[in-house]
Amino acid sequence: MISRNEIIQTIEMIDQQHLDIRTITMGISLLDCADTDMRSCCGKIYDKITRLAADLVKTGEDIEAEFGIPIVNKRISVTPISLVAAGCAGGDYADIARTLDKAAAETGVNFIGGFSALVHKDFTNSDRRLIDAIPEALASTNLVCSSVNVATTRSGINMDAVRLMGEKVKKAAELTADSGGMACAKLVVFANAVEDNPFMAGAFHGVGEAECVINVGVSGPGVVHHALKACRGEPFDVVAETIKKTAFKVTRMGELVAREASKRLNVPFGVVDLSLAPTPAVGDSVADILEEMGLESVGTHGTTAALALLNDAVKKGGVMASSSVGGLSGAFIPVSEDAGMIAGAERGSLVLDKLEAMTCVCSVGLDMIAVPGDTPAETIAAIIADEAAIGVVNNKTTAVRIISAPRKKVGERVDFGGLLGSAPVMPVHKFSSAEFIGRGGRIPAPLHSLRN
Amino acid sequence: MKAIVTVIGKDRVGIIADVCAILAANGVNVLDISQTVMQDYFTMIMMVDTSQCRVRFNELSDMLAAEGEKTALTIRIQRSDIFEAMHRI
């Protein structure tokens, strides 16, 4: 029998250290919804999503109740819409976003991702139409998330797409100025996007995936932080071991929930994404873990090394605990969703340049960062280009989810509420990148892309 | 199906009796039970068999939680798989 201590330890993890399953995400292929008529395409999309995901939320809630583990989000990811809608002769792509929104609301999920385009080398006509529709699509829906992949290690960086995305981020912010630029919180610009990521806002269902699949994202920064408190002053070998053991336990739970959900929904199990995803709640912070390692305030010298250790140890511990690990897997560093990161930014220890360095070693990239509302589109595009370069050269996924906070200045805050939290407006460099971004074209793939 | 019932909170007379009454009334068999009291803090862990349970698992869970709330106790029932998955390979 399981010992008393083990039972109490699990309950404390859930109760006091915010251990949860962050998301059960159902990936649904919409490739068979293609149609020359947009209304007919929307009809097929709505029917397919509401049919396949009809029991998703209820199943999540049942598992939650039986295992006593919170499952914070139930979500849907779909095939990138630029592929699904490519055959539609006319019509506005924002109508498809509104259809996704309606289908998501009907099934009761928190978010639906996949209003996406993959343009890492160049655009199709459909990609351009989709990207043009992004601001309107996000401003006129509540649950739809959008992502655009602008670079890969294999193909380099599509700088025309980078420029375009800088403009779309600005436009999305303008259209949702009354809610602090909320549309930007649902828009991710990727390099090396993955096809099986269950986390929003960047989830989409890749074309290499099954018809329908269940991916699960686990979390637990609070659990890791708690475990590290017990090894204060110990050398880093002990720190790494402790994180690995904790990540193992957390992932085992994710694997159990993923298999159970897959069985009950009769949908194949895809991957467990073993990410440390913080929430704004106190005690559920990645920054706290870094500070626990001995940094006075997150962002100070040593932060990148601490994060590198954390990210690596989480993967090493988790990978042995699940039969199939995928998605983004590692440590997320969203600023607005992490009480410790917010505090660091407000104290001035965490600045954009340091965050950029941290994205070289974390699981994704610049996430949920607010910049002043008067930041030029070219500057935002240049931030995206820098981040894409880090991803492309280092063979990793990077992303930018940046909020050009309407009418806000450095030092103010934008509040989104819920899991999206609140973002302190951070300064950007005042020197122009406009000429650089104006060049367009493609930054070639690095030499190490030629691996055959 | 095996499940673990945990009761945590301030000690008082009759906690075990109250919890067992709810379990018995719903056809849940107690397989193992252990408890400790540390500094007035009561922790009880029961392994139970819910295969003959007459209500849905969620309902039983709500019933136990509601009973706990009356006297400031936290009463949970969870399928034992979660503990085994986490602590046993």
Side-chain angles (χ1 to χ4, degrees):
Chain A
M1 180 173 162
I2 301 294
S3 79
R4 152 185 295 273
N5 285 347
E6 289 165 336
I7 290 172
I8 297 296
Q9 185 191 41
T10 302
I11 288 176
E12 279 180 356
M13 281 182 182
I14 295 168
D15 222 31
Q16 292 155 32
Q17 299 156 26
H18 304 278
L19 176 62
D20 54 46
I21 299 291
R22 185 52 49 83
T23 179
I24 294 185
T25 303
M26 177 181 271
I28 301 175
S29 168
L30 296 183
L31 286 171
D32 57 353
C33 299
D35 201 292
T36 49
D37 176 57
M38 184 162 283
R39 279 186 59 187
S40 162
C41 179
C42 286
K44 288 183 193 173
I45 289 173
Y46 181 85
D47 291 346
K48 186 163 187 186
I49 293 172
T50 51
R51 175 168 54 85
L52 289 175
D55 294 328
L56 175 62
V57 172
K58 188 183 169 299
T59 303
E61 285 168 355
D62 285 350
I63 293 174
E64 201 170 350
E66 287 177 29
F67 291 99
I69 173 87
I71 300 173
V72 183
N73 297 296
K74 294 92 188 172
R75 294 164 168 172
I76 297 170
S77 65
V78 298
T79 310
I81 292 299
S82 76
L83 302 175
V84 182
C88 296
D92 178 2
Y93 278 35
D95 284 342
I96 304 183
R98 289 185 276 269
T99 302
L100 294 174
D101 202 44
K102 215 169 81 183
E106 171 64 27
T107 55
V109 295
N110 316 81
F111 276 125
I112 185 164
F115 194 76
S116 305
L118 310 175
V119 296
H120 35 272
K121 197 161 185 186
D122 215 332
F123 307 89
T124 62
N125 294 337
S126 181
D127 292 331
R128 284 192 190 277
R129 288 172 69 192
L130 182 124
I131 291 172
D132 280 343
I134 286 175
E136 164 68 17
L138 295 180
S140 64
T141 56
N142 293 317
L143 307 174
V144 175
C145 292
S146 174
S147 55
V148 176
N149 193 49
V150 297
T152 64
T153 299
R154 280 279 176 158
S155 59
I157 308 172
N158 178 350
M159 288 299 289
D160 292 319
V162 167
R163 185 185 64 224
L164 211 49
M165 290 317 294
E167 292 164 8
K168 298 306 169 194
V169 167
K170 291 292 289 182
K171 184 73 181 163
E174 276 167 31
L175 292 181
T176 50
D178 292 341
S179 55
M182 180 68 167
C184 298
K186 300 183 285 173
L187 174 59
V188 184
V189 187
F190 273 118
N192 290 327
V194 296
E195 297 199 317
D196 53 5
N197 160 29
F199 286 98
M200 294 296 171
F204 64 86
H205 184 72
V207 288
E209 295 285 312
E211 182 70 17
C212 186
V213 70
I214 287 289
N215 296 319
V216 164
V218 299
S219 188
V223 183
V224 173
H225 181 210
H226 180 82
L228 287 187
K229 279 185 191 167
C231 48
R232 278 196 184 144
E234 301 280 351
F236 281 112
D237 323 48
V238 178
V239 172
E241 272 305 300
T242 306
I243 297 170
K244 274 160 64 179
K245 284 180 193 155
T246 311
F248 181 85
K249 288 181 182 172
V250 169
T251 309
R252 288 279 289 176
M253 192 197 60
E255 168 93 359
L256 172 73
V257 168
R259 296 217 167 268
E260 192 69 27
S262 148
K263 193 171 78 190
R264 291 186 191 196
L265 290 161
N266 196 23
V267 167
F269 157 55
V271 299
V272 173
D273 185 324
L274 41 104
S275 284
L276 289 186
T279 68
V282 172
D284 203 17
S285 156
V286 169
D288 285 355
I289 300 173
L290 304 177
E291 290 174 1
E292 184 61 43
M293 286 191 216
L295 302 169
E296 186 182 359
S297 179
V298 66
T300 191
H301 304 293
T303 302
T304 311
L307 182 58
L309 181 152
L310 173 66
N311 198 51
D312 180 65
V314 164
K315 283 189 267 199
K316 284 177 180 162
V319 79
M320 300 300 287
S322 169
S323 57
S324 177
V325 170
L328 299 166
S329 288
F332 291 150
I333 52 168
V335 175
S336 77
E337 299 171 358
D338 187 315
M341 295 284 179
I342 294 171
E346 289 184 335
R347 276 194 295 263
S349 64
L350 187 64
V351 296
L352 206 50
D353 288 347
K354 187 62 179 181
L355 276 163
E356 186 183 312
M358 289 161 73
T359 66
C360 301
V361 299
C362 78
S363 69
V364 199
L366 291 174
D367 198 11
M368 289 303 286
I369 288 160
V371 296
D374 59 3
T375 307
E378 292 85 356
T379 299
I380 290 177
I383 291 171
I384 295 171
D386 282 342
E387 205 50 36
I390 290 170
V392 164
V393 172
N394 293 302
N395 264 319
K396 77 183 281 288
T397 303
T398 50
V400 175
R401 183 161 52 144
I402 192 166
I403 298 105
S404 171
R407 300 187 289 271
K408 298 271 183 185
K409 293 190 166 53
V410 172
E412 292 183 272
R413 262 205 204 201
V414 225
D415 278 303
F416 297 111
L419 284 182
L420 295 171
S422 74
V425 178
M426 299 173 81
V428 296
H429 289 285
K430 63 180 193 294
F431 302 101
S432 172
S433 314
E435 219 172 297
F436 175 78
I437 292 301
R439 286 176 184 270
R442 192 165 75 235
I443 294 183
L447 184 61
H448 59 255
S449 68
L450 304 172
R451 286 197 294 186
N452 292 349
Chain B
M1 188 177 70
K2 284 182 185 163
I4 304 279
V5 177
T6 49
V7 184
I8 299 170
K10 201 165 162 44
D11 195 19
R12 65 168 170 82
V13 175
I15 296 179
I16 298 183
D18 291 347
V19 174
C20 287
I22 295 174
L23 295 174
N26 291 290
V28 177
N29 188 27
V30 177
L31 302 173
D32 192 8
I33 180 166
S34 76
Q35 68 154 86
T36 53
V37 180
M38 288 170 70
Q39 297 159 348
D40 287 347
Y41 210 65
F42 178 87
T43 311
M44 176 173 76
I45 297 174
M46 282 180 180
M47 179 171 272
V48 299
D49 179 359
T50 58
S51 51
Q52 305 296 316
C53 185
R54 286 188 285 270
V55 293
R56 281 172 54 82
F57 198 94
N58 304 8
E59 292 168 37
L60 181 65
S61 169
D62 290 346
M63 249 182 259
L64 289 168
E67 175 65 26
E69 271 168 34
K70 279 191 222 160
T71 52
L73 289 166
T74 308
I75 309 183
R76 290 187 188 78
I77 181 163
Q78 293 163 276
R79 279 176 57 173
S80 62
D81 315 30
I82 185 166
F83 304 102
E84 275 154 23
M86 191 178 266
H87 300 287
R88 294 286 179 274
I89 298 174

